Amino acid sequence: MSSSVSTNPTAGGEEEPVVLASTKNHARIITLNRVRKLNSLNTEMIELMTPPVLEYAKEKVNNVTILTSNSPKALCAGGDVAECAIQIRKGNPGYGADFFDKEYNLNYIISTLPKPYISLMDGITFGGGVGLSVHAPFRVATEKTKLAMPEMDIGFFPDVGTTFFLPRLDDKIGYYVALTGSVLPGLDAYLAGFATHYIKSEKIPLLIKRLAGLQPPEIEGEITVISGNNQYFNQVNDILNEFSEKKLPQDYKFFLSPDDIAVINKAFSQDSIDGVFKYLKEEGSPFAKKTLDTLSKKPKSSLAVAFALLNQGAKNTIREQFELEMVAATNIMSIPAERNDFAKGVIHKLVDKIKDPFFPQWNDPSTVTPEFVKNILSLSKNTDKYLKKPYVKQWFGVDFTQYPHQFGVPSNREVEAYIAGTDGSNRTYLPTPSEVFKHFKIKTGDKLGVEAKIQQILDLHGETAKYDNKYVTWKDEPTK
């Protein structure tokens, strides 16, 4: 085994190893090491991470890249955006635009790496930490995981490419998690689709050792995340499944009931954020009232911009969406501080660290018009001034509308395809519910939680009454 470590001097000249890069047999390991800040991601860390991530993807002797942390509490507690807000107050929006440019390009690189990249979300994984993880084909949650997109609380939007990822989660759960700022423990993050595997924290060192010893099959020709290397991705998946827990705890319940999910799906399928509020108010269930109360505390500017980005992200390619997020972030950085909910939120919570009141005085909701949202999402004199084209570089030259690899629990999309016979099987008859369970248990190797996930999907989208409860058809709108 060989190993190497890179460090970087801080502005004060002291050696501060905020990112470590090491070699372990056939694996390359990137360790976040800004421990006192819970690895909050700053420009220095991004600039240290990007070169080795690119280099490792091209090295013939490297087979997998593993993202981990030296903090016992966190993988990454989010982006360190305090300086962005301070610079807005000083009239320098270019600082924040540059930060997000570098961060989003790193996130996009991760999404298109031709070799397996594994994020070990063993602890707090918020905001920027989610961006370093969810675009990877392999995301490991543990019992220590706490995952969230808390941007609403600082007047921003769920960024780092999550407006591409979140709309692809089942039944608008991604919208709900991001807009409410819900914090998910490991099992909930896994069954919601944020993680692909659930492994006990104590097994992580042995897992890394095992992955480092794995050698890929002989491959001829060019490989990308989409083609040429699928066999090796499957081998990595097999190892992760081997280390994964086999049974859900007996008392475990997903954090949302089928009724809750039905409300979420309908609410966040409305045409606008105002429509979401109207639906929740009229629906009137305890869950709807609680969700409405939570959303009502968030700044209207963040909710409206986030909702528009999520809807656009459902249609865009991943590269298009990173570029759209970059445009939105740059335009937000350019709003004067006195009218900027992002600057207000960050200064209040992260700079001045005021706890009472919990939120600053957000801008009046009446200022958040359709024109305001359109302008945030549009090219402007600000994007011309602060961004360089192409906004997101080509890197590995890959783009897609759906992630190439699906190693987590089955999704609505997969179950619907199986029921309809459009999954490549060419089956012309409807399956029974038991056949649906059997198919996905075999397909996933009886993966942790598959039975619970399939039950949830069928409860919401399975229709059996038409055929005397013998066969199942698919219905798009979930039953409440």
Side-chain angles (χ1 to χ4, degrees):
M1 181 186 79
S2 63
S3 64
S4 61
V5 176
S6 66
T7 61
N8 194 61
T10 64
E14 297 177 0
E15 288 292 317
E16 181 64 25
V18 292
V19 173
L20 307 177
S22 61
T23 297
K24 190 177 182 70
N25 290 344
H26 301 290
R28 300 296 181 267
I29 301 169
I30 294 177
T31 304
L32 304 183
N33 195 42
R34 198 182 178 206
V35 176
R36 284 178 294 178
K37 293 286 188 178
L38 297 179
N39 296 325
S40 291
L41 199 64
N42 61 12
T43 303
E44 179 186 13
M45 294 174 73
I46 295 166
E47 290 177 341
L48 276 174
M49 279 189 66
T50 302
V53 169
L54 287 167
E55 177 189 340
Y56 295 163
K58 297 171 184 176
E59 280 186 0
K60 290 186 178 181
V61 292
N62 171 48
N63 296 334
V64 296
T65 299
I66 300 170
L67 178 69
T68 186
S69 163
N70 271 344
S71 168
K73 297 180 180 179
L75 173 65
C76 172
D80 191 348
V81 294
E83 190 61 29
C84 297
I86 291 169
Q87 290 297 323
I88 290 172
R89 272 206 308 202
K90 292 181 178 180
N92 179 23
Y95 179 92
D98 179 69
F99 171 80
F100 292 116
D101 178 327
K102 290 173 179 174
E103 184 180 26
Y104 298 174
N105 270 279
L106 174 58
N107 299 145
Y108 176 63
I109 289 168
I110 290 168
S111 75
T112 58
L113 289 172
K115 295 180 181 180
Y117 171 103
I118 302 141
S119 177
L120 302 177
M121 303 185 294
D122 188 27
I124 295 167
T125 305
F126 285 3
V130 176
L132 295 177
S133 304
V134 295
H135 305 298
F138 303 107
R139 294 101 58 188
V140 175
T142 75
E143 74 279 7
K144 291 165 57 179
T145 300
K146 292 180 181 177
L147 184 145
M149 293 300 295
E151 286 78 9
M152 294 295 106
D153 289 351
I154 57 169
F156 203 46
F157 61 86
D159 65 330
V160 292
T162 63
T163 58
F164 179 86
F165 173 85
L166 294 164
R168 286 160 180 76
L169 297 180
D170 291 342
D171 294 310
K172 306 286 184 174
I173 289 175
Y175 284 64
Y176 172 83
V177 170
L179 298 186
T180 61
S182 299
V183 179
L184 306 190
L187 275 174
D188 287 339
Y190 167 70
L191 285 172
F194 287 92
T196 58
H197 299 80
Y198 182 81
I199 297 173
K200 287 287 188 183
S201 181
E202 64 188 20
K203 294 182 179 179
I204 295 296
L206 190 57
L207 171 66
I208 292 173
K209 183 177 180 181
R210 179 70 183 279
L211 289 168
L214 183 63
Q215 296 192 36
E218 291 290 331
I219 298 172
E220 293 184 5
E222 185 180 353
I223 62 170
T224 71
V225 70
I226 295 174
S227 63
N229 209 13
N230 289 346
Q231 185 179 350
Y232 188 56
F233 277 87
N234 289 331
Q235 288 179 4
V236 172
N237 183 51
D238 289 342
I239 290 178
L240 291 169
N241 283 338
E242 179 186 327
F243 277 79
S244 295
E245 292 299 289
K246 307 306 178 191
K247 289 185 178 181
L248 293 173
Q250 195 167 5
D251 59 348
Y252 172 75
K253 285 187 178 180
F254 189 59
F255 75 110
L256 298 168
S257 72
D259 282 353
D260 296 341
I261 296 172
V263 170
I264 287 169
N265 188 301
K266 187 69 173 178
F268 293 101
S269 295
Q270 303 302 308
D271 292 336
S272 66
I273 195 66
D274 289 332
V276 174
F277 275 72
K278 184 174 183 289
Y279 175 82
L280 290 170
K281 186 175 181 179
E282 292 176 351
E283 204 280 337
S285 66
F287 175 76
K289 290 178 180 177
K290 182 180 178 182
T291 303
L292 181 61
D293 181 65
T294 300
L295 293 176
S296 298
K297 294 181 174 69
K298 314 297 183 184
K300 178 73 176 293
S301 61
S302 292
L303 291 170
V305 169
F307 192 76
L309 281 167
L310 289 163
N311 287 340
Q312 195 61 42
K315 308 169 192 173
N316 276 349
T317 68
I318 191 166
R319 188 167 181 268
E320 289 169 342
Q321 195 61 16
F322 272 117
E323 290 194 330
L324 184 59
E325 285 191 5
M326 202 177 293
V327 167
T330 300
N331 284 328
I332 289 172
M333 294 303 105
S334 302
I335 298 172
E338 64 274 11
R339 294 188 286 108
N340 192 319
D341 278 334
F342 170 74
K344 292 179 181 180
V346 173
I347 296 295
H348 184 91
K349 296 181 72 67
L350 303 181
V351 179
D352 295 341
K353 298 183 179 179
I354 298 170
K355 295 183 178 180
D356 187 18
F358 189 73
F359 292 116
Q361 184 65 46
W362 302 119
N363 289 331
D364 191 288
S366 65
T367 64
V368 184
T369 62
E371 184 180 8
F372 169 84
V373 176
K374 181 182 177 181
N375 288 340
I376 293 296
L377 270 60
S378 298
L379 298 176
S380 66
K381 62 181 182 181
N382 303 313
T383 57
D384 288 343
K385 182 175 182 180
Y386 298 115
L387 296 178
K388 295 178 182 178
K389 293 183 179 180
Y391 300 156
V392 176
K393 298 177 180 62
Q394 288 291 336
W395 301 115
F396 296 102
V398 175
D399 201 6
F400 47 78
T401 56
Q402 295 291 339
Y403 289 101
H405 300 284
Q406 307 293 337
F407 293 117
V409 291
S411 66
N412 283 355
R413 191 164 166 260
E414 293 172 275
V415 175
E416 180 184 7
Y418 175 71
I419 289 174
T422 57
D423 59 341
S425 66
N426 297 319
R427 176 173 38 76
T428 57
Y429 58 88
L430 291 172
T432 65
S434 62
E435 285 174 333
V436 178
F437 281 99
K438 182 179 179 181
H439 171 80
F440 284 100
K441 288 181 76 171
I442 292 172
K443 182 179 178 181
T444 64
D446 201 11
K447 192 177 180 72
L448 174 71
V450 163
E451 198 163 337
K453 178 64 176 179
I454 296 297
Q455 186 65 63
Q456 181 191 85
I457 291 173
L458 292 182
D459 284 346
L460 289 162
H461 295 282
E463 176 62 71
T464 59
K466 292 181 181 178
Y467 300 95
D468 298 325
N469 296 318
K470 291 181 181 178
Y471 302 102
V472 62
T473 59
W474 183 267
K475 53 186 178 182
D476 287 327
E477 187 170 323
T479 301
K480 185 184 166 189

